[in-house]
């Protein structure tokens, strides 16, 4: 299990570091581009999380909870039915919001995130969190949903944590950035 914790930074940080390294400034809190009107334009630049309450619709599933197993025995998906629901919603292109909470190594790594499934079948994904002294909020990325083959590959994974990782990191063909991300790196 210690190997898992040693690999975590290498597995987690690439998806978090995919956002623009530029910090945002200013005070504009109006929604993002016209095609993303439900994504607030967060000021960013500090450890304040982006607005998690998108106005894009109701949650289509319970929040997916991923957390440590007792006695430092790894990580587990605490509510597998929520993960199954999320993939079902993506496959059916059910409009609404999928959310998750991901805690690892007794909150040394702590992430929240969402996927918005839009009426037109495209999606918006964003995640944000803290690892040690670093805080990263990814771009709120609007793009094409994964293909049926990509979703099938994810759902074929028998390890639920790997299946969750597939959900939070699958490739999105970018249409636009609804709200730019930011990072604050500790010393």
């Amino acid at each position: 299990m210690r190997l898992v914790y040693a690999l975590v930074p290498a597995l987690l940080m690439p998806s978090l570091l995919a956002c623009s390294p530029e910090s945002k400034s200013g005070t504009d809190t109006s929604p993002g581009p016209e095609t993303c009107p439900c994504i607030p334009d967060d000021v960013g630049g500090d450890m304040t999380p982006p607005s998690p309450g998108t106005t894009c619709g109701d949650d289509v599933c319970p929040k997916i909870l991923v957390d440590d197993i007792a006695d430092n025995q790894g990580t587990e998906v605490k509510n597998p039915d929520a993960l199954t629901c999320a993939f079902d919603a993506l496959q059916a292109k059910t409009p609404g919001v999928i959310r998750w909470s991901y805690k690892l190594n007794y909150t040394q790594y702590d992430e929240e995130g969402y996927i918005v499934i839009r009426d037109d079948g495209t999606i918006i994904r964003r995640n944000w969190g803290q690892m040690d002294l670093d805080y990263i909020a990814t771009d709120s990325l609007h793009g094409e949903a994964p293909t049926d083959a990509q979703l099938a590959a994810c759902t074929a994974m028998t390890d639920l944590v790997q299946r969750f990782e597939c959900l939070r990191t699958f490739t999105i063909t970018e249409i636009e950035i609804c709200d730019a991300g930011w990072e604050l790196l500790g010393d």
Side-chain angles (χ1 to χ4, degrees):
M1 285 299 150
R2 294 194 188 278
L3 178 60
V4 170
Y5 289 120
L7 292 174
V8 166
L11 294 172
L12 298 176
M13 293 313 287
S15 66
L16 287 175
L17 293 174
C19 66
S20 167
E22 299 175 290
S23 293
K24 297 182 69 182
S25 61
T27 57
D28 186 11
T29 57
S30 60
E34 190 173 312
T35 55
C36 321
C38 58
I39 304 298
D41 185 10
D42 289 302
V43 175
D46 59 15
M47 295 182 87
T48 303
S51 303
T54 69
T55 58
C56 299
D58 297 327
D59 290 356
V60 294
C61 302
K63 182 185 272 189
I64 303 164
L65 305 173
V66 181
D67 205 344
D68 291 312
I69 300 171
D71 299 322
N72 205 21
Q73 296 299 308
T75 305
E76 68 181 344
V77 176
K78 300 290 187 179
N79 53 349
D81 290 344
L83 184 58
T84 299
C85 176
F87 278 108
D88 289 347
L90 282 164
Q91 288 172 328
K93 296 186 180 352
T94 305
V97 184
I98 298 166
R99 299 179 195 280
W100 65 83
S101 173
Y102 187 15
K103 298 181 186 324
L104 181 63
N105 203 17
Y106 298 98
T107 67
Q108 178 183 6
Y109 176 76
D110 191 351
E111 176 187 288
E112 298 285 324
Y114 63 75
I115 296 172
V116 176
I117 305 170
R118 296 170 31 112
D119 291 337
D120 64 3
T122 61
I123 62 171
I124 300 169
R125 182 174 62 196
R126 172 173 247 173
N127 54 311
W128 59 93
Q130 185 168 347
M131 179 175 242
D132 293 327
L133 299 176
D134 298 341
Y135 186 86
I136 299 171
T138 65
D139 292 336
S140 181
L141 180 63
H142 174 217
E144 298 296 329
T147 65
D148 290 341
Q150 288 173 305
L151 292 173
C154 289
T155 57
M157 296 176 175
T158 56
D159 182 285
L160 293 178
V161 174
Q162 288 179 349
R163 192 179 303 168
F164 167 73
E165 279 296 319
C166 195
L167 175 79
R168 64 181 281 282
T169 62
F170 58 70
T171 302
I172 298 174
T173 303
E174 181 179 331
I175 295 172
E176 66 188 322
I177 294 172
C178 296
D179 183 47
W182 65 90
E183 61 184 40
L184 180 64
L185 304 178
D187 293 336

